[in-house]
Amino acid sequence: MRGPVKTSRTRTMVPPGGTAHIAGGQEPGQGGSMRVFRKARGAWTRLARRVWARRATVVVLGCVPGLLAVLVLVVCAVGVDRRVVARERPVAAPLPAGPHRAARPVIVPRSRWLDAGSAHAQPPARYDDHVLAVFVHHTDSPNAYECADVPRIIRSLYAGQTGVRRWDDIGYNFLVDRCGTIYEGRAGGVDRAVTGAHTQGFNHGTAGIAAIGTFGAGTPVPWAMTEAIASLAAWKLGLSDVDPRATVRLVSSNDLSRYTAGTSAVLPTLAGHDAGFMTNCPGAALASQLPGIRSRAAHLQGR
């Protein structure tokens, strides 16, 4: 089964693969280090050396005629300033690629819901090169919960998926509660293209966002939840400059998906779970909100 012909807003991603990395590897530094200088006995301090150098320069320049003296002084001053700035300037985090970037929302780390007593041993995370699509899910769990109790709820989901189902980790990359709080799900780093276990056949190059609750037809979907999903999708897709309103060509990796393995399918870049797998997830009520979520995410990207 083949998908529609590629349009100008269709991105192509052909798995399998992605580049394997070791989970928890060292990330680029976020700032420079602070160096403390002490005055040693009989030695010049850094400041004294710089003052001496400048005074010496002025003395030497007294012997250089007119315009040449001014030129030499300017060149020396610029050279010294650049060397100092290059050595002491903090290292800034690299900006994401592409012009359509959205602000990163607040994301609660795994450590807030997964304690040492509940965690299972697991292999290193797997990675793809980019996230080109987001799948929206619901957890099919009760809606009448206190938001303060969400860490326990996520821990229960994790226990079910890693226990009965024998998965290596929770399948979703992120989870969002009815109060709009975003939680880190699967391990590997929220800003990286972690291969999830959320959409049969289309886990490569995608991210899974699960809305905590059940959202069948007629169920109210909290505004805070849809706003959080939009902001998260805008940021995550913006890292690869992907338009949340566009489509992407993905290749199925599993016969159990809606498309047999090897089939090329054109799917929304912000899709419901049912677009890739034969299921009612994310529920009719949440699915009906997806057009608005796409538009809101695009707006947050400045489109």
Side-chain angles (χ1 to χ4, degrees), residues 88-238:
E88 297 179 355
R89 179 186 298 147
V91 179
L95 290 174
H100 297 103
R101 295 186 292 266
R104 171 176 165 169
V106 175
I107 301 172
V108 178
R110 279 169 62 94
S111 58
R112 290 280 295 276
W113 60 264
L114 185 61
D115 53 46
S118 303
H120 294 276
Q122 60 187 65
R126 294 178 299 156
Y127 297 92
D128 292 293
D129 296 324
H130 303 285
V131 170
L132 299 178
V134 165
F135 284 99
V136 177
H137 308 256
H138 69 178
T139 58
D140 202 20
S141 53
N143 293 339
Y145 57 84
E146 297 293 332
C147 290
D149 199 33
V150 167
R152 183 196 61 78
I153 295 171
I154 300 176
R155 195 158 52 247
S156 296
L157 294 169
Y158 169 85
Q161 293 180 358
T162 59
V164 176
R165 297 187 181 182
R166 304 180 66 82
W167 294 1
D168 60 350
D169 194 0
I170 193 168
Y172 314 116
N173 298 98
F174 303 94
L175 299 98
V176 178
D177 70 17
R178 64 185 186 86
C179 294
T181 303
I182 301 170
Y183 289 84
E184 176 186 11
R186 197 169 184 85
V190 296
D191 57 342
R192 304 181 68 180
V194 179
T195 307
H198 51 84
T199 305
Q200 192 80 262
F202 297 103
N203 289 314
H204 287 287
T206 67
I209 302 175
I212 299 175
T214 303
F215 298 99
T219 304
V221 182
W223 175 86
M225 175 177 278
T226 59
E227 181 69 10
I229 293 172
S231 64
L232 178 57
W235 169 69
K236 195 66 179 174
L237 292 174

